[in-house]
Amino acid sequence: MRRPDRTVADWIAEGLETMALHCSCGHYATVTLADLPPRLTRTRLGQNARCAECGKRGAQVMRDMKAHYAEMEAESSFSATYPGTKP
């Protein structure tokens, strides 16, 4: 049986504050979860997103790894460089 899509409210309950959107053109953006409707799902967020660079609708939605690495570094001695950024 297929598990229901997680919602913005589920992500916030997990402690996430942002999500990352990636367009097929290579553009990357983050969205603040507090600014989104609580019942919005990953699928609907990805389908409804419009790229600010190319104008294409639809994006891959995933965890904001920049925020994840920053949180890990703050909690421990772990240090990582996010691809595409300077150390």
Side-chain angles (χ1 to χ4, degrees):
M1 183 161 86
R2 187 171 171 214
R3 187 171 93 170
D5 285 337
R6 292 176 20 219
T7 64
V8 169
D10 295 331
W11 299 326
I12 292 171
E14 290 175 18
L16 300 176
E17 295 178 4
T18 58
M19 290 295 277
L21 295 160
H22 293 269
C23 181
S24 60
C25 75
H27 186 242
Y28 161 88
T30 56
V31 293
T32 304
L33 295 176
D35 296 340
L36 300 173
R39 297 186 59 81
L40 190 64
T41 63
R42 179 184 300 251
T43 304
R44 293 209 35 220
L45 175 60
Q47 290 172 349
N48 294 334
R50 183 178 298 277
C51 180
E53 292 291 317
C54 71
K56 180 181 174 191
R57 204 176 268 285
Q60 181 182 10
V61 180
M62 54 196 307
R63 185 177 194 152
D64 180 7
M65 295 310 292
K66 284 184 183 180
H68 177 68
Y69 289 151
E71 181 181 329
M72 288 177 65
E73 191 169 341
E75 291 177 357
S76 67
S77 60
F78 176 83
S79 181
T81 303
Y82 188 77
T85 62
K86 296 178 182 176

